[in-house]
Amino acid sequence: MTKWELARYLIDAKKAVDSILYISDNAKQIRNLDIRNKITTLRSIFYLNCCTVLDNAFPKKKKRELCDRDLIARAIYYERDKNFAHKDEKYIAKQYNSLNEIVDELKQQISHVLKICDFVLPDIITLDFVSHDKELFRLIHNVSPQVEEKIKKLKHPLYGNSLPQNSCGQQFIIFHDTEDIKQLDDDSKNKYATLFECGICNSESMQNFQDSAIKTNVLFGTNIWLSFNFKNLSSVEKLKTLGYYDEFDIPKLPPENDIEAWKKFIKILQKVETNE
């Protein structure tokens, strides 16, 4: 696999951590769900994908040598080989006191994978953890397909508009999955394009953009990457707690003619920008 094909599995593992972090942050709102099973599934995704990266960096004999000297790599392989790839009767599950403890361990493990496998991964890739799970976010906020369409149109006024009738643009097939690259020759690739799609909130947008960057790099041999300015994101989160953004990261500005409300809003903006 190329470096960007392999990067897909690292980022898939990272998104599993994002989902567990979101569950931890919103546990009360989804306490009626089978959270234990959800966490098990996400941990399986995490370890299988991390080991895909490790297997490519340290095949066969090198894997044994790695596990002999590297405790973190050994722990990752133990979970994959004894628990998730198949069930070993001698497997002993580790006990955790909280979901945050699981998150902290997974963050440490995937960061270690990136460090020791950097020679088979793109040098510009980053692990940008965010608290988000696409399905659970929509469940918690009661977002039906119809509601989501309304949100997209509100956030993006040109959403859904068709091209002008006299447009002579070329039509392309959307490249949905990096694994599909195995089925395409060089001539076929010219018929495909990647789609960069905003999410229903900022965290989802970043996940979508990074996924699309990977697909673009795999399809066209480019080397692009996108990441949040986390200082600006922190400012948005502070304003959200004060009621100036809703759960979909849509601004909620004061009434147009309410001068006092605008003065208060401007003061708050200045404090947030200076981290007061």
Side-chain angles (χ1 to χ4, degrees):
M1 280 189 278
T2 66
K3 289 187 175 184
W4 281 110
E5 286 179 76
L6 205 54
R8 173 261 176 89
Y9 300 100
L10 183 78
I11 296 304
D12 280 354
K14 194 280 300 186
K15 287 187 293 182
V17 181
D18 292 346
S19 290
I20 297 176
L21 181 57
Y22 187 76
I23 292 171
S24 178
D25 290 342
N26 298 275
K28 289 183 179 180
Q29 293 171 273
I30 53 176
R31 62 184 182 277
N32 60 319
L33 303 181
D34 188 350
I35 299 303
R36 183 185 180 92
N37 184 61
K38 177 74 171 175
I39 297 298
T40 298
T41 299
L42 289 167
R43 290 182 71 235
S44 174
I45 292 170
F46 175 86
Y47 285 110
L48 291 172
N49 280 289
C50 279
C51 286
T52 297
V53 178
L54 286 168
D55 286 344
N56 276 266
F58 304 96
K60 297 182 180 179
K61 186 178 179 180
K62 289 185 178 180
K63 171 189 170 181
R64 298 193 202 96
E65 295 173 354
L66 174 68
C67 290
D68 285 342
R69 69 174 187 271
D70 191 315
L71 294 178
I72 295 178
R74 187 191 309 169
I76 294 171
Y77 271 120
Y78 178 76
E79 291 296 333
R80 196 273 306 262
D81 295 341
K82 304 298 184 180
N83 187 29
F84 294 114
H86 73 277
K87 291 294 182 180
D88 190 303
E89 63 179 16
K90 296 182 180 179
Y91 170 77
I92 301 176
K94 181 177 178 180
Q95 299 300 308
Y96 299 92
N97 295 316
S98 67
L99 289 178
N100 283 335
E101 190 176 336
I102 295 176
V103 169
D104 289 342
E105 181 177 70
L106 298 184
K107 282 184 177 181
Q108 180 193 35
Q109 289 176 336
I110 194 172
S111 297
H112 188 68
V113 170
L114 175 58
K115 179 180 178 180
I116 65 175
C117 299
D118 60 351
F119 59 97
V120 295
L121 290 165
D123 57 6
I124 59 173
I125 200 168
T126 54
L127 295 172
D128 302 311
F129 299 102
V130 290
S131 176
H132 185 68
D133 180 276
K134 290 184 177 182
E135 294 180 1
L136 293 178
F137 181 90
R138 284 159 175 77
L139 178 65
I140 288 174
H141 296 292
N142 299 310
V143 180
S144 66
Q146 294 77 18
V147 170
E148 185 160 350
E149 285 296 301
K150 290 180 181 179
I151 294 169
K152 288 180 178 179
K153 290 177 181 178
L154 180 61
K155 296 182 75 170
H156 313 287
L158 297 180
Y159 172 78
N161 286 12
S162 58
L163 293 172
Q165 290 185 353
N166 61 351
S167 172
C168 57
Q170 181 179 347
Q171 290 187 336
F172 293 91
I173 305 169
I174 299 300
F175 184 62
H176 289 291
D177 194 311
T178 59
E179 292 185 351
D180 292 342
I181 197 67
K182 302 169 187 176
Q183 305 169 19
L184 305 180
D185 55 29
D186 290 338
D187 291 335
S188 299
K189 290 178 184 179
N190 295 327
K191 301 176 183 178
Y192 284 78
T194 53
L195 180 66
F196 282 74
E197 185 176 9
C198 289
I200 200 169
C201 62
N202 288 338
S203 295
E204 187 170 299
S205 290
M206 190 194 74
Q207 289 182 339
N208 288 352
F209 293 160
Q210 291 188 343
D211 285 345
S212 295
I214 292 173
K215 293 172 192 174
T216 302
N217 294 332
V218 169
L219 183 62
F220 298 114
T222 49
N223 194 45
I224 61 174
W225 188 241
L226 302 94
S227 179
F228 265 144
N229 180 321
F230 278 89
K231 181 180 179 181
N232 290 345
L233 182 62
S234 176
S235 297
V236 171
E237 291 301 315
K238 288 179 182 178
L239 291 171
K240 186 184 291 186
T241 61
L242 296 171
Y244 290 107
Y245 281 89
D246 67 11
E247 62 270 32
F248 308 112
D249 295 314
I250 299 174
K252 297 170 66 177
L253 300 177
E256 188 174 339
N257 298 321
D258 192 335
I259 297 176
E260 292 303 316
W262 273 98
K263 287 182 179 179
K264 178 182 177 181
F265 175 59
I266 291 172
K267 287 183 179 179
I268 290 173
L269 278 180
Q270 292 172 336
K271 288 183 178 181
V272 168
E273 289 178 356
T274 56
N275 291 317
E276 293 184 9

